[in-house]
Amino acid sequence: MPNSTVSYLWRDKDAAQGFHTGVSLHSHTNQSKETLDFLANLGNQYPLIRPLISRLESRSEGTHGLKVNYAASYWTPPMTPKLAFDLESKQIENLGLQSMVSISDHDNIKAPMLLRTVPSARQIPVSVEWSAPYGGVQDFHLGIHNLPSARASQWMETLAEYTANPAEGRLTEILAALNAEPHVLVVFNHPMWDLFLIGQEKHEFLVNEFLLKNGNYLHALELNGLRNWDENRAVRRLAEKWNMLLISGGDRHGVEPNANVNLTNATSFTEFVHEVRREKRSNVLFMPQYAEPWKHRLLRSTIDAVRTYPDFPVGSRTWDERVYHPDANGVDRPLSELWPGGSSPRVMRWGIALVMLMGSAPVSGGLRMAWSESHQLRLALGETEG
């Protein structure tokens, strides 16, 4: 039987005692291409925002001859692979534990491959967050951790081929083959998050259908450090329904370390995988940042995405160096190279300034109080709701 435990550092400061190692799963670096489709969805969800977005779209096409293409655009998180690795390692080491870090950028393994040339990170597993289309209307994100080094590139070609040409029978074949790799860990990331806003009922139907067909090839469901309490409770219930293990996944995109980690006595990542797969044991620890109000944490994450980092490498310092859009020839370029006159539109500068103002001490403190979730802390994840 799966044995998942969940603890909270703000409730028990000694929760990590008795464990040798902390494992950081599911975090992102500037090698990760993050979709901008959500901007188009904002206009559909919030009518007040639609005129502003439409104005920017019309101005881009009419004045500059460049039609906005959300699907082909993307942004990258600010942290380089080494900065991200050090951030995650330090948080765990501050608990008095040895650290293991598995970085899983969207659909590429550049970060772990780069880190393997750095002595302090040489043992990092080769991992990826794979976007797997399902049902014709949704993507499921699967954390594929610890790919065999010698065949990692070959595996990435296989995953990319499916993403470009999805077929459900082929998906099952791929997951079965990944499960046949004895040292690979396959996690269903944030399974209850309706990424494409198809409707929660339809999304949950597809999730359960997917698990019916492929659950035997998945090793755990993720409690996501960036999703809210209610959604993670739904994941807990899903795990109970399908008799599956729960595992941590911070999903960090900014400069705050993962809001949860796994505790283990494993001394290597492969040993940790065996603990999850063979022994079906997982010990999830939520860090103090998860106790902060969810909306407040989303605001901080947004601020991290648009903030300027003068000490970071060129290309990661300003937000418009980290956002990419095809130019007139279809070549992806940072917005900083596409602005006429080299400066972003005034309305965008005002928007960024407003977001930063919301993060200033007086405003941020007021919002944090308004968004208080003290009742959520009492419920946590393992107690009866009501």
Side-chain angles (χ1 to χ4, degrees):
M1 293 289 292
N3 181 14
S4 308
T5 67
V6 181
S7 55
Y8 312 89
L9 197 59
W10 61 88
R11 285 184 171 183
D12 180 7
K13 63 181 179 59
D14 297 322
Q17 286 191 2
F19 294 95
H20 178 271
T21 305
V23 185
S24 167
L25 298 167
H26 189 183
S27 64
H28 297 273
T29 76
N30 66 354
Q31 301 299 307
S32 193
K33 295 182 179 182
E34 309 287 337
T35 179
L36 286 175
D37 279 344
F38 71 92
L39 289 176
N41 290 332
L42 279 178
N44 296 327
Q45 287 181 275
Y46 304 104
L48 291 176
I49 297 177
R50 184 66 245 177
L52 174 60
I53 293 178
S54 296
R55 181 185 173 189
L56 290 170
E57 291 170 349
S58 298
R59 184 174 179 182
S60 174
E61 187 171 9
T63 306
H64 312 301
L66 196 63
K67 186 174 182 178
V68 175
N69 185 340
Y70 295 106
S73 305
Y74 61 91
W75 66 280
T76 60
M79 301 200 85
T80 63
K82 184 61 165 61
L83 287 172
F85 179 86
D86 289 345
L87 177 75
E88 296 297 332
S89 297
K90 183 178 180 182
Q91 174 177 240
I92 292 169
E93 290 161 6
N94 285 343
L95 296 175
L97 302 172
Q98 296 295 311
S99 63
M100 295 182 200
V101 178
S102 183
I103 289 171
S104 50
D105 284 330
H106 287 288
D107 302 305
N108 79 77
I109 54 173
K110 293 177 183 176
M113 298 309 288
L114 287 169
L115 283 167
R116 286 190 159 203
T117 66
V118 179
S120 62
R122 190 163 290 151
Q123 300 303 315
I124 191 169
V126 180
S127 305
V128 65
E129 185 174 27
W130 176 33
S131 305
Y134 187 81
V137 292
Q138 189 63 286
D139 271 9
F140 291 149
H141 286 182
L142 303 176
I144 314 297
H145 301 269
N146 207 33
L147 286 167
S149 302
R151 288 179 283 111
S153 295
Q154 181 181 340
W155 264 116
M156 291 306 301
E157 291 175 4
T158 299
L159 302 183
E161 181 183 356
Y162 172 82
T163 300
N165 301 286
E168 290 180 20
R170 178 59 178 149
L171 176 59
T172 298
E173 291 175 1
I174 292 172
L175 291 172
L178 284 166
N179 182 61
E181 298 274 7
H183 308 316
V184 168
L185 178 67
V186 182
V187 177
F188 193 171
N189 290 348
H190 44 69
M192 300 303 281
W193 184 9
D194 178 11
L195 280 168
F196 290 170
L197 303 177
I198 63 173
Q200 196 61 35
E201 184 177 350
K202 186 171 186 179
H203 172 72
E204 291 183 20
F205 173 83
L206 290 177
V207 166
N208 282 283
E209 181 184 71
F210 173 72
L211 289 174
L212 178 64
K213 295 177 179 179
N214 303 295
N216 289 337
Y217 308 125
L218 307 178
H219 307 130
L221 302 179
E222 179 192 67
L223 293 174
N224 187 280
L226 265 187
R227 304 304 299 163
N228 59 51
W229 286 99
D230 288 336
E231 188 174 304
N232 277 329
R233 288 192 194 102
V235 174
R236 186 204 68 204
R237 293 191 294 269
L238 187 70
E240 291 172 353
K241 175 180 178 179
W242 290 97
N243 197 29
M244 294 184 70
L245 203 65
L246 292 167
I247 203 167
S248 68
D251 206 4
R252 179 197 47 74
H253 289 75
V255 298
E256 175 188 87
N258 275 354
N260 57 17
V261 297
N262 257 70
L263 301 173
T264 178
N265 285 310
T267 57
S268 70
F269 197 86
T270 295
E271 189 178 336
F272 169 68
V273 172
H274 292 175
E275 180 178 282
V276 173
R277 289 188 55 167
R278 296 178 183 174
E279 301 175 26
K280 297 189 181 301
R281 287 192 293 118
S282 174
N283 303 285
V284 178
L285 174 65
F286 278 88
M287 304 300 290
Q289 52 266 39
Y290 195 78
E292 294 289 314
W294 182 59
K295 291 180 181 178
H296 194 255
R297 293 186 62 227
L298 288 183
L299 172 62
R300 285 211 309 258
S301 185
T302 301
I303 291 171
D304 286 350
V306 300
R307 179 183 288 137
T308 296
Y309 300 91
D311 297 329
F312 280 19
V314 174
S316 291
R317 292 175 181 170
T318 63
W319 73 269
D320 55 358
E321 290 180 318
R322 301 189 294 266
V323 178
Y324 291 77
H325 189 282
D327 64 15
N329 298 315
V331 178
D332 291 347
R333 293 172 60 192
L335 290 185
S336 58
E337 296 179 4
L338 296 177
W339 301 130
S343 179
S344 61
R346 186 180 304 167
V347 66
M348 298 195 76
R349 295 199 297 272
W350 289 346
I352 297 294
L354 177 61
V355 171
M356 298 305 295
L357 176 64
M358 292 174 69
S360 63
V363 179
S364 178
L367 290 173
R368 186 181 182 282
M369 292 180 63
W371 291 332
S372 172
E373 293 181 340
S374 57
H375 66 292
Q376 300 281 23
L377 302 186
R378 290 194 299 272
L379 291 174
L381 293 180
E383 302 171 21
T384 302
E385 301 99 51

